[in-house]
Amino acid sequence: MTQICDFKLGPLNHVGVAVPDIEAAAQHYRDVFGVTDITKPQDLPPQGVTFAFVNLPSGQIELIQPYGENSPIEKFLKNNPKGGQHHVCYEVDDIHEAKSVMEARGMTVLNDPRIGAHGTPVIFLHPRHNQGVLIELMEKQINTDD
Ligand code: CO
């Protein structure tokens, strides 16, 4: 039951920033901010994005650039041609539990759980119920020793 559910957000995992040119954006973080740990851009066809993580001591910036036809960030970049802050991502223990709790609490869940950039399932919550912020929930990664 929703009332007694102990669901709560886990750590902030990353902030998503949509960019028109991911290589240029990564270079910007190197040149201007001195960041040396930036992952190589990778395509994520199911989500229609190419992504790279800027690794910082306290977390990550996820740079995302449109990939393929009908990328979900195409329209965002049309409205923000130089790029812009696109979403924030929090970790949750169980993505299916998170989806049903969010729906029960009146959030608009935009997709069924699908594999995100960290290789774990993610869902997105419509900004209209979250102070205008697009929220990504990702199932936390299980640390393995190998
Ligand atoms: Co993200």
Side-chain angles (χ1 to χ4, degrees):
M1 288 191 8
T2 307
Q3 291 87 339
I4 57 166
C5 177
D6 61 358
F7 171 86
K8 62 174 195 255
L9 287 182
L12 175 66
N13 183 276
H14 63 264
V15 174
V17 175
V19 298
D21 181 339
I22 200 164
E23 295 285 1
Q27 198 57 45
H28 176 80
Y29 274 86
R30 286 187 198 98
D31 293 346
V32 176
F33 300 118
V35 181
T36 53
D37 188 0
I38 302 176
T39 65
K40 210 164 118 15
Q42 256 183 281
D43 299 333
L44 193 60
Q47 295 217 25
V49 298
T50 298
F51 69 92
F53 284 110
V54 177
N55 290 315
L56 303 168
S58 57
Q60 296 175 309
I61 302 297
E62 179 189 40
L63 302 173
I64 47 175
Q65 171 191 286
Y67 174 88
E69 300 286 309
N70 305 317
S71 170
I73 60 171
E74 203 79 63
K75 191 174 152 216
F76 181 90
L77 280 173
K78 199 169 247 177
N79 295 331
N80 304 274
K82 293 182 172 177
Q85 194 261 301
H86 181 261
H87 66 272
V88 295
C89 177
Y90 302 100
E91 298 176 19
V92 296
D93 288 338
D94 180 319
I95 201 72
H96 292 95
E97 176 202 40
K99 183 170 187 279
S100 52
V101 172
M102 289 300 98
E103 285 169 344
R105 293 180 181 175
M107 299 299 101
T108 302
V109 178
L110 295 171
N111 62 286
D112 285 324
R114 64 184 186 217
I115 297 301
H118 282 296
T120 68
V122 303
I123 57 174
F124 286 87
L125 309 179
H126 197 287
R128 73 172 148 248
H129 301 299
N130 298 296
Q131 298 75 46
V133 177
L134 176 64
I135 291 182
E136 176 182 14
L137 299 179
M138 66 169 269
E139 195 163 281
K140 69 180 178 195
Q141 292 171 294
I142 308 293
N143 290 325
T144 52
D145 290 334
D146 48 37

